[in-house]
Amino acid sequence: MRAFLKIIRFKNILLLALMQITFHFGFLKLQNIALALNDWQFILLVFSTICIAGAGYLINNVFDQETDQINKPNDVVVGKNMSETTAYNLYIILNVLGVGTGFYLSNSIGKPSFAALFIVIAATLYLYASSLKQSLLVGNILIALLAAISVIIVGLFDLYPTITVENKPVVATYFEIILDYAFFAFLINFIRELVKDLEDVKGDYNTGMATLPIILGVKRTSKLVFGLSLIPIIILFYYINNYYFNNKLYFATLYAYILIVAPLLYFSIKMWTSKSQKEFHHLSTVLKIVLFFGILSILVITLNIKYNA
């Protein structure tokens, strides 16, 4: 069990589940609108998502054995604590559970075409692990997009099937908020993927990968990541001042500045001087913390609005 939890990156899986649960129970359920999924159906949506994501992490570990032996020898599972045959069997089981549950949910809300989304995500994660991550920036963008889709899928299943002429403006507003968070998730995850490439540059070089640090060098890539990290900071300053502070959401404003903007500023400052694998690993963890508090901010904002009312 320990090997299984390790290979599916259970901490990342929990963060993904928390993200979806927070948007459903901590945002949409607190609004005066009808949702397409009831609570147990939504739990099935989370189950489907984490099964497919877990399968993606698992197959990535299978293909990354050589690289991980160099970059993270203590974290190697396949070939050490689990055979390749077992890993492939678990990969198939997780995908069948995930895609099958997604197929059921899509039909239960009267949108059978949505089932294709789960198939495409599962197939994309396989392609990423087997080949796409070796292409310059393609893998980084792909993983960041999939993180954003994990947010958007909540809106697709909870809101989209309920749209009528009467509620369209209200539903559109909530969907726009979800898209804003999806864009934030994309930016932070894209930057984090580049930081992980900096962390793993030695193993990636020895296995013939074409990541940005290998093409540009660690120093230049670090400076590029520093520049990219300023983008979400600038966007957040604008967003917080215009949507939180100007609407007297003072607690949400304070929360965002202390727990989201401040860690991002710390990340940017440290990124400028970081050089070692240990430093890059630390910065990757900082971005994970930013994602965690960024997810919870939707609940804080919702409660702040209700308190003001």
Side-chain angles (χ1 to χ4, degrees), residues 5 37 132 183 199 261:
L5 292 175
L37 297 179
L132 292 178
F183 180 64
E199 182 186 351
V261 175

Side-chain angles (χ1 to χ4, degrees), residues 15 18 184 255 287-297:
L15 187 62
L18 174 68
F184 175 77
Y255 174 95
L287 290 182
K288 193 180 289 188
I289 292 169
V290 168
L291 279 170
F292 174 76
F293 287 115
I295 291 164
L296 291 181
S297 69

Side-chain angles (χ1 to χ4, degrees), residues 230-265:
L230 298 179
I231 296 173
I233 292 172
I234 294 169
I235 292 173
L236 282 170
F237 269 114
Y238 171 82
Y239 202 89
I240 293 167
N241 287 329
N242 280 272
Y243 294 100
Y244 300 177
F245 188 78
N246 288 347
N247 288 299
K248 298 181 179 180
L249 301 176
Y250 299 129
F251 184 75
T253 299
L254 193 64
Y255 174 95
Y257 275 128
I258 293 174
L259 296 175
I260 303 173
V261 175
L264 274 175
L265 285 169

Side-chain angles (χ1 to χ4, degrees), residues 135-137 140 190 194 197-198 201 209-218 220-221 224-225 228:
S135 304
L136 183 64
L137 291 180
N140 306 102
F190 177 66
L194 293 178
D197 283 345
L198 284 164
V201 65
M209 304 282 278
T211 63
L212 204 61
I214 292 170
I215 302 299
L216 294 181
V218 171
R220 289 179 181 175
T221 304
L224 176 62
V225 173
L228 289 174

Side-chain angles (χ1 to χ4, degrees), residues 20 23-24 28 42 45 150-159:
Q20 293 188 326
F23 274 92
H24 178 79
L28 296 177
F42 182 78
L45 178 64
S150 297
V151 180
I152 295 171
I153 202 170
V154 176
L156 283 176
F157 276 79
D158 260 342
L159 295 177

